[in-house]
Amino acid sequence: MKRFFTLSLFSLFMFFLSHGAAFSAEPETDLVFAEKCDKEDVHECPYLTSSDESRVALPKNYVKGEQFSVLIVVHNGGQKNIVTVRSWLQYNAQELKALEIEDQQSDFPLASPDGNEIDAELGQVKIGRGVAGGGLNLENLVVAEVKFEVVASGTSLSEISFINFQKEVLGDTGVFILNTSTYQPENILEKGPKKLIVSLNGGTGSESDNTDDLPPNGDGSSTPPLDNAGGNDDALLNGLPRPEDLRIQANAEGVNLVWKMSDGDAVKGYYVYYSTTTGFYIHRKDAGKTNHFEFRDLTLNKVYYFSVTAYDANGRESDYSDEVFAKVGVPGTESHPYKFAENEKKPDDKATIPPYKTGTGDQLDKSGPAESIAVSFAVLGMFFILYSFFRMRLFSLFS
């Protein structure tokens, strides 16, 4: 009987150990490639998969002059609230040419300041997308579509890879949530995403191909001139132009921001986003329809990063402006400073700022997810304390 009891306890322990490990393992988040398909909804385009741990491949071969499109997709297995995605790509500019970044079907409505840009000379596609508010928790989230053209022949394989993946710091490849303890971005990618293999002019692209045979610089054939294939600097999001010429000035009490007023009647005001982490904004102020905002309540001697969006009467927003930063309370630390003599503009200053009215940091703080989460936790904590108190009180009365 004792032996049976011991074996039963051991079996029960092993059951909970094995199932506990299974229950505790969270579904993995990944940044993947999908081939653009003919489905009207790009979410229905299947991922490119492979048993290889480091790469996937497009299913067909391409020759010089052909074009193809790939989708960058977040597989959000744990359905966490994702607020920012950075997916910088590197490709061989002597073999491929990035033509366009298409974001009309992106699930992330806002481009980060350094996002949606093609550097044809370096062979880089810089994609940064985000969302204002509490984040997106769908299982599959489309980041952007990238169109390429084959510009060289005679090579067998070419690759497109994500660059600068950093788990612990803000790298150029990552899927970020808001850490509710530190209110800082947290990369939930555990490892670097797989690279994409493109078969050119007869290459097979199969899993048996050896990527060590990749020629470093194509076949030496002539390459068409690389023009300035920029992103969508001139594009409008929600019919609104992104604010331009954002400038910053630090003073003893805080910082001042100025920017160029957008043309058109659709713009009803501007949101000022800010954070202590570049490209990741968790606070927002409503500046109204003005081209100036002043902060006096930020932590002194700390570096803050700022960006501005325009909004219309329906609350729709433009893309982010370029980012600026400064150490609060320390003049001379500005990334993009402005200086004006009294009633005078410097003629060589790119920012033609008209007389402005002042907005202050005392205006309503329409913050990002950080404040909402903090308030929720505070309420839950108070509820738990009261519940524990009354439970102990009732226990003492009836004991």
mmCIF file of all heavy atoms in Angstrom, residues 208-236:
data_model
loop_
_atom_site.group_PDB
_atom_site.id
_atom_site.type_symbol
_atom_site.label_atom_id
_atom_site.label_comp_id
_atom_site.label_asym_id
_atom_site.label_seq_id
_atom_site.Cartn_x
_atom_site.Cartn_y
_atom_site.Cartn_z
ATOM 1 N N SER A 208 18.028 22.563 -50.137
ATOM 2 C CA SER A 208 19.316 21.917 -50.298
ATOM 3 C C SER A 208 20.381 22.873 -50.799
ATOM 4 O O SER A 208 21.559 22.536 -50.823
ATOM 5 C CB SER A 208 19.187 20.736 -51.277
ATOM 6 O OG SER A 208 18.774 21.208 -52.550
ATOM 7 N N ASP A 209 19.978 24.075 -51.251
ATOM 8 C CA ASP A 209 20.954 25.041 -51.730
ATOM 9 C C ASP A 209 21.872 25.458 -50.600
ATOM 10 O O ASP A 209 21.463 25.597 -49.452
ATOM 11 C CB ASP A 209 20.258 26.291 -52.290
ATOM 12 C CG ASP A 209 19.598 26.002 -53.615
ATOM 13 O OD1 ASP A 209 20.149 25.190 -54.372
ATOM 14 O OD2 ASP A 209 18.525 26.576 -53.874
ATOM 15 N N ASN A 210 23.126 25.715 -50.916
ATOM 16 C CA ASN A 210 24.110 26.126 -49.921
ATOM 17 C C ASN A 210 24.300 27.624 -50.001
ATOM 18 O O ASN A 210 24.823 28.139 -50.981
ATOM 19 C CB ASN A 210 25.428 25.385 -50.180
ATOM 20 C CG ASN A 210 26.471 25.699 -49.119
ATOM 21 O OD1 ASN A 210 26.182 26.444 -48.183
ATOM 22 N ND2 ASN A 210 27.651 25.119 -49.259
ATOM 23 N N THR A 211 23.890 28.334 -48.984
ATOM 24 C CA THR A 211 24.013 29.791 -49.024
ATOM 25 C C THR A 211 25.445 30.244 -48.925
ATOM 26 O O THR A 211 25.741 31.411 -49.159
ATOM 27 C CB THR A 211 23.219 30.421 -47.868
ATOM 28 O OG1 THR A 211 23.651 29.842 -46.636
ATOM 29 C CG2 THR A 211 21.741 30.181 -48.030
ATOM 30 N N ASP A 212 26.391 29.331 -48.579
ATOM 31 C CA ASP A 212 27.799 29.718 -48.561
ATOM 32 C C ASP A 212 28.306 30.002 -49.960
ATOM 33 O O ASP A 212 29.368 30.614 -50.140
ATOM 34 C CB ASP A 212 28.650 28.598 -47.934
ATOM 35 C CG ASP A 212 28.323 28.417 -46.458
ATOM 36 O OD1 ASP A 212 27.852 29.393 -45.852
ATOM 37 O OD2 ASP A 212 28.543 27.306 -45.931
ATOM 38 N N ASP A 213 27.572 29.513 -50.996
ATOM 39 C CA ASP A 213 27.983 29.738 -52.378
ATOM 40 C C ASP A 213 27.508 31.069 -52.925
ATOM 41 O O ASP A 213 27.724 31.357 -54.103
ATOM 42 C CB ASP A 213 27.440 28.607 -53.270
ATOM 43 C CG ASP A 213 28.041 27.267 -52.901
ATOM 44 O OD1 ASP A 213 29.182 27.261 -52.381
ATOM 45 O OD2 ASP A 213 27.370 26.242 -53.121
ATOM 46 N N LEU A 214 26.856 31.874 -52.117
ATOM 47 C CA LEU A 214 26.366 33.163 -52.597
ATOM 48 C C LEU A 214 27.510 34.053 -53.023
ATOM 49 O O LEU A 214 28.435 34.294 -52.242
ATOM 50 C CB LEU A 214 25.579 33.872 -51.496
ATOM 51 C CG LEU A 214 24.110 33.523 -51.365
ATOM 52 C CD1 LEU A 214 23.552 34.182 -50.121
ATOM 53 C CD2 LEU A 214 23.343 33.981 -52.575
ATOM 54 N N PRO A 215 27.509 34.562 -54.257
ATOM 55 C CA PRO A 215 28.548 35.517 -54.643
ATOM 56 C C PRO A 215 28.351 36.824 -53.898
ATOM 57 O O PRO A 215 27.232 37.291 -53.736
ATOM 58 C CB PRO A 215 28.305 35.699 -56.156
ATOM 59 C CG PRO A 215 26.873 35.334 -56.356
ATOM 60 C CD PRO A 215 26.550 34.294 -55.322
ATOM 61 N N PRO A 216 29.436 37.442 -53.402
ATOM 62 C CA PRO A 216 29.278 38.638 -52.571
ATOM 63 C C PRO A 216 28.764 39.849 -53.325
ATOM 64 O O PRO A 216 28.068 40.669 -52.774
ATOM 65 C CB PRO A 216 30.705 38.874 -52.040
ATOM 66 C CG PRO A 216 31.596 38.201 -53.048
ATOM 67 C CD PRO A 216 30.825 37.026 -53.547
ATOM 68 N N ASN A 217 29.112 39.975 -54.597
ATOM 69 C CA ASN A 217 28.747 41.192 -55.325
ATOM 70 C C ASN A 217 28.175 40.889 -56.698
ATOM 71 O O ASN A 217 28.468 41.577 -57.666
ATOM 72 C CB ASN A 217 29.962 42.107 -55.473
ATOM 73 C CG ASN A 217 30.432 42.636 -54.139
ATOM 74 O OD1 ASN A 217 29.650 43.162 -53.369
ATOM 75 N ND2 ASN A 217 31.708 42.465 -53.849
ATOM 76 N N GLY A 218 27.391 39.873 -56.839
ATOM 77 C CA GLY A 218 26.803 39.572 -58.136
ATOM 78 C C GLY A 218 27.857 39.045 -59.092
ATOM 79 O O GLY A 218 28.904 38.515 -58.707
ATOM 80 N N ASP A 219 27.606 39.182 -60.402
ATOM 81 C CA ASP A 219 28.526 38.629 -61.395
ATOM 82 C C ASP A 219 29.374 39.698 -62.052
ATOM 83 O O ASP A 219 30.066 39.445 -63.024
ATOM 84 C CB ASP A 219 27.720 37.872 -62.457
ATOM 85 C CG ASP A 219 26.801 38.807 -63.222
ATOM 86 O OD1 ASP A 219 26.573 39.939 -62.755
ATOM 87 O OD2 ASP A 219 26.322 38.400 -64.280
ATOM 88 N N GLY A 220 29.344 40.905 -61.550
ATOM 89 C CA GLY A 220 30.155 41.967 -62.128
ATOM 90 C C GLY A 220 29.541 42.589 -63.354
ATOM 91 O O GLY A 220 30.157 43.453 -63.987
ATOM 92 N N SER A 221 28.342 42.171 -63.731
ATOM 93 C CA SER A 221 27.705 42.763 -64.899
ATOM 94 C C SER A 221 27.234 44.170 -64.582
ATOM 95 O O SER A 221 27.120 44.568 -63.435
ATOM 96 C CB SER A 221 26.510 41.900 -65.342
ATOM 97 O OG SER A 221 25.559 41.843 -64.310
ATOM 98 N N SER A 222 26.978 44.933 -65.632
ATOM 99 C CA SER A 222 26.568 46.320 -65.430
ATOM 100 C C SER A 222 25.221 46.381 -64.740
ATOM 101 O O SER A 222 24.342 45.566 -65.003
ATOM 102 C CB SER A 222 26.498 47.053 -66.775
ATOM 103 O OG SER A 222 25.553 46.413 -67.611
ATOM 104 N N THR A 223 25.075 47.331 -63.848
ATOM 105 C CA THR A 223 23.843 47.505 -63.073
ATOM 106 C C THR A 223 23.213 48.834 -63.434
ATOM 107 O O THR A 223 23.916 49.839 -63.554
ATOM 108 C CB THR A 223 24.160 47.480 -61.567
ATOM 109 O OG1 THR A 223 24.819 46.250 -61.273
ATOM 110 C CG2 THR A 223 22.906 47.584 -60.745
ATOM 111 N N PRO A 224 21.919 48.876 -63.646
ATOM 112 C CA PRO A 224 21.262 50.148 -63.955
ATOM 113 C C PRO A 224 21.547 51.172 -62.867
ATOM 114 O O PRO A 224 21.733 50.822 -61.704
ATOM 115 C CB PRO A 224 19.780 49.774 -63.995
ATOM 116 C CG PRO A 224 19.763 48.311 -64.266
ATOM 117 C CD PRO A 224 20.982 47.764 -63.611
ATOM 118 N N PRO A 225 21.602 52.456 -63.232
ATOM 119 C CA PRO A 225 21.846 53.488 -62.220
ATOM 120 C C PRO A 225 20.819 53.410 -61.114
ATOM 121 O O PRO A 225 19.633 53.184 -61.361
ATOM 122 C CB PRO A 225 21.711 54.800 -63.013
ATOM 123 C CG PRO A 225 21.924 54.410 -64.441
ATOM 124 C CD PRO A 225 21.413 53.018 -64.571
ATOM 125 N N LEU A 226 21.288 53.596 -59.893
ATOM 126 C CA LEU A 226 20.396 53.576 -58.750
ATOM 127 C C LEU A 226 19.891 54.981 -58.499
ATOM 128 O O LEU A 226 20.636 55.849 -58.062
ATOM 129 C CB LEU A 226 21.138 53.051 -57.508
ATOM 130 C CG LEU A 226 21.611 51.596 -57.608
ATOM 131 C CD1 LEU A 226 22.472 51.251 -56.407
ATOM 132 C CD2 LEU A 226 20.427 50.661 -57.688
ATOM 133 N N ASP A 227 18.624 55.207 -58.791
ATOM 134 C CA ASP A 227 18.083 56.534 -58.544
ATOM 135 C C ASP A 227 17.679 56.654 -57.085
ATOM 136 O O ASP A 227 17.780 55.710 -56.309
ATOM 137 C CB ASP A 227 16.895 56.828 -59.465
ATOM 138 C CG ASP A 227 15.785 55.802 -59.313
ATOM 139 O OD1 ASP A 227 15.763 55.087 -58.297
ATOM 140 O OD2 ASP A 227 14.941 55.734 -60.217
ATOM 141 N N ASN A 228 17.210 57.793 -56.696
ATOM 142 C CA ASN A 228 16.823 58.021 -55.312
ATOM 143 C C ASN A 228 15.430 57.468 -55.088
ATOM 144 O O ASN A 228 14.437 58.188 -55.149
ATOM 145 C CB ASN A 228 16.862 59.525 -54.997
ATOM 146 C CG ASN A 228 16.541 59.796 -53.550
ATOM 147 O OD1 ASN A 228 16.608 58.903 -52.717
ATOM 148 N ND2 ASN A 228 16.201 61.035 -53.245
ATOM 149 N N ALA A 229 15.369 56.167 -54.832
ATOM 150 C CA ALA A 229 14.066 55.510 -54.655
ATOM 151 C C ALA A 229 13.606 55.684 -53.223
ATOM 152 O O ALA A 229 13.607 54.759 -52.434
ATOM 153 C CB ALA A 229 14.177 54.029 -55.014
ATOM 154 N N GLY A 230 13.238 56.860 -52.882
ATOM 155 C CA GLY A 230 12.838 57.139 -51.507
ATOM 156 C C GLY A 230 11.530 56.477 -51.162
ATOM 157 O O GLY A 230 10.877 55.858 -51.996
ATOM 158 N N GLY A 231 11.139 56.595 -49.916
ATOM 159 C CA GLY A 231 9.913 55.955 -49.445
ATOM 160 C C GLY A 231 8.694 56.748 -49.866
ATOM 161 O O GLY A 231 8.478 57.008 -51.040
ATOM 162 N N ASN A 232 7.903 57.180 -48.888
ATOM 163 C CA ASN A 232 6.676 57.892 -49.225
ATOM 164 C C ASN A 232 6.675 59.259 -48.547
ATOM 165 O O ASN A 232 5.710 59.660 -47.920
ATOM 166 C CB ASN A 232 5.449 57.084 -48.813
ATOM 167 C CG ASN A 232 5.353 56.915 -47.307
ATOM 168 O OD1 ASN A 232 6.324 57.131 -46.590
ATOM 169 N ND2 ASN A 232 4.181 56.546 -46.847
ATOM 170 N N ASP A 233 7.816 59.993 -48.678
ATOM 171 C CA ASP A 233 7.926 61.287 -48.024
ATOM 172 C C ASP A 233 6.802 62.228 -48.439
ATOM 173 O O ASP A 233 6.384 63.093 -47.673
ATOM 174 C CB ASP A 233 9.283 61.930 -48.349
ATOM 175 C CG ASP A 233 10.429 61.185 -47.656
ATOM 176 O OD1 ASP A 233 10.138 60.453 -46.703
ATOM 177 O OD2 ASP A 233 11.576 61.341 -48.070
ATOM 178 N N ASP A 234 6.351 62.085 -49.677
ATOM 179 C CA ASP A 234 5.327 62.998 -50.174
ATOM 180 C C ASP A 234 3.918 62.425 -50.022
ATOM 181 O O ASP A 234 2.944 63.066 -50.406
ATOM 182 C CB ASP A 234 5.592 63.324 -51.650
ATOM 183 C CG ASP A 234 6.921 64.045 -51.838
ATOM 184 O OD1 ASP A 234 7.296 64.825 -50.950
ATOM 185 O OD2 ASP A 234 7.555 63.813 -52.871
ATOM 186 N N ALA A 235 3.821 61.217 -49.492
ATOM 187 C CA ALA A 235 2.500 60.592 -49.394
ATOM 188 C C ALA A 235 1.720 61.184 -48.229
ATOM 189 O O ALA A 235 2.275 61.737 -47.297
ATOM 190 C CB ALA A 235 2.661 59.081 -49.199
ATOM 191 N N LEU A 236 0.419 61.048 -48.340
ATOM 192 C CA LEU A 236 -0.458 61.535 -47.276
ATOM 193 C C LEU A 236 -1.081 60.352 -46.574
ATOM 194 O O LEU A 236 -1.541 59.411 -47.210
ATOM 195 C CB LEU A 236 -1.552 62.428 -47.870
ATOM 196 C CG LEU A 236 -1.110 63.639 -48.674
ATOM 197 C CD1 LEU A 236 -2.339 64.391 -49.171
ATOM 198 C CD2 LEU A 236 -0.221 64.559 -47.853
#
